[in-house]
Amino acid sequence: MKKLIELKKIKRSFTISEEVETLAIREISLNIQKGEFVAIMGPSGSGKSTLLHILGFLDTQTSGDFIFNGQSNTKYTEEQLAHLRNSEVGFVFQSFNLLAKDNVYENVKLPLVYSKTDPKKWHDKIVKAIESVGLSHRIDYPITRLSGGEKQRVAIARALVNNPKIVFADEPTGNLDSASGAKVMKILDKLNRELGHTVILITHETETAKHAERIISLKDGMVVSDTKNTKRNKASNFSK
């Protein structure tokens, strides 16, 4: 597989006061290949959210090198970084971050509005993304009428509409019951196994992490383990 992400001694510190500096990430070095499904685990304060923000171009490291697709993130202009966030990566958050006043179709369309995609192609891309998460029967539904699990599936469709290289899923099952969470994880599993998307999952749940083929554990801003998951949960067909 082709190397997609390379981190070399990444550090991220935050200055609390003139005399106090906190290290959220301490010299993390790792590689992520194109097409991998990676879970990043750790307790609160371990640095996993900070690492996610750097990997998703939402933040920049204090020191070290982050190479994405062969180029250092420090070489991108602000305009290029905005384009990467819109077209190369997709985000799925625990709190969904959907527009409550809009329906499913309008929510999934949102990333296209800020993209360079020909508007004539928007409809087909939106419909395809909604179909991929099994919500074609909800395409015109207001967000307020959806269950939590359905809202998260809309968030996944929105993340997919620009066909990104990477899907970041930040605690995607955290606000869901076990049945809805299982459906969401089946979709992410399918995106990786069948469609070839790189998936980076942030979680503190061991059962959720079992869907990944590789599990990276953080503690106090450092990688304490990086192992292949030989007991990865088997994919199963998604149904409504």
Side-chain angles (χ1 to χ4, degrees), residues 1-38:
M1 289 187 288
K2 181 181 178 182
K3 190 184 299 181
L4 185 61
I5 287 172
E6 185 176 6
L7 301 183
K8 298 179 180 179
K9 296 185 176 181
I10 290 290
K11 288 184 181 181
R12 181 65 172 101
S13 62
F14 297 92
T15 302
I16 299 175
S17 68
E18 291 183 3
E19 298 179 355
V20 180
E21 184 179 53
T22 299
L23 267 177
I25 291 179
R26 308 166 183 262
E27 291 200 359
I28 289 181
S29 297
L30 57 86
N31 298 328
I32 295 175
Q33 311 297 320
K34 184 178 180 181
E36 273 196 291
F37 191 146
V38 178

Side-chain angles (χ1 to χ4, degrees), residues 86 111-112 114-122 125 161-162:
N86 180 259
L112 292 170
Y114 300 98
S115 74
K116 297 179 181 179
T117 303
D118 183 348
K120 294 178 181 179
K121 298 180 180 179
W122 287 8
K125 291 174 75 71
V161 74
N162 276 328

Side-chain angles (χ1 to χ4, degrees), residues 37-49:
F37 191 146
V38 178
I40 298 176
M41 298 191 68
S44 178
S46 63
K48 59 185 186 294
S49 293

Side-chain angles (χ1 to χ4, degrees), residues 34-36 164-165 189-199:
K34 184 178 180 181
E36 273 196 291
K165 285 186 171 66
D189 202 45
K190 179 180 178 180
L191 295 179
N192 174 252
R193 292 183 190 263
E194 297 182 20
L195 302 180
H197 287 278
T198 304
V199 177

Side-chain angles (χ1 to χ4, degrees), residues 1 35-39 192 209-215 227-230 232:
M1 289 187 288
E36 273 196 291
F37 191 146
V38 178
N192 174 252
K210 287 180 180 178
H211 288 266
E213 61 183 315
R214 178 182 169 197
I215 300 175
T227 60
K228 288 289 185 181
N229 179 19
T230 58
R232 183 182 183 187

Side-chain angles (χ1 to χ4, degrees), residues 65-207:
D65 294 321
F66 167 27
I67 300 171
F68 176 77
N69 213 22
Q71 181 167 315
S72 171
N73 67 331
T74 59
K75 301 297 184 183
Y76 292 105
T77 65
E78 286 300 320
E79 183 178 353
Q80 289 171 329
L81 287 172
H83 176 70
L84 285 173
R85 286 190 293 267
N86 180 259
S87 64
E88 300 294 317
V89 301
F91 294 97
V92 180
F93 297 102
Q94 179 178 349
S95 56
F96 318 133
N97 291 356
L98 299 173
L99 301 177
K101 294 182 179 180
D102 289 333
N103 63 18
V104 171
Y105 185 96
E106 292 298 320
N107 268 274
V108 175
K109 182 179 77 172
L110 189 60
L112 292 170
V113 175
Y114 300 98
S115 74
K116 297 179 181 179
T117 303
D118 183 348
K120 294 178 181 179
K121 298 180 180 179
W122 287 8
H123 178 74
D124 288 345
K125 291 174 75 71
I126 295 165
V127 170
K128 181 179 179 181
I130 294 171
E131 286 178 349
S132 74
V133 298
L135 286 178
S136 296
H137 61 304
R138 297 282 194 260
I139 194 166
D140 295 321
Y141 265 47
I143 292 300
T144 53
R145 290 181 60 189
L146 300 181
S147 67
E150 288 173 330
K151 289 177 182 177
Q152 194 60 291
R153 285 152 61 185
V154 174
I156 294 173
R158 181 185 58 190
L160 293 177
V161 74
N162 276 328
N163 193 31
K165 285 186 171 66
I166 308 177
V167 175
F168 291 102
D170 188 6
E171 301 283 5
T173 62
N175 283 336
L176 306 179
D177 58 53
S178 56
S180 297
K183 287 183 178 181
V184 165
M185 291 313 301
K186 285 177 183 178
I187 294 172
L188 293 175
D189 202 45
K190 179 180 178 180
L191 295 179
N192 174 252
R193 292 183 190 263
E194 297 182 20
L195 302 180
H197 287 278
T198 304
V199 177
I200 298 179
L201 169 71
I202 305 295
T203 185
H204 66 277
E205 299 173 344
T206 302
E207 286 302 312

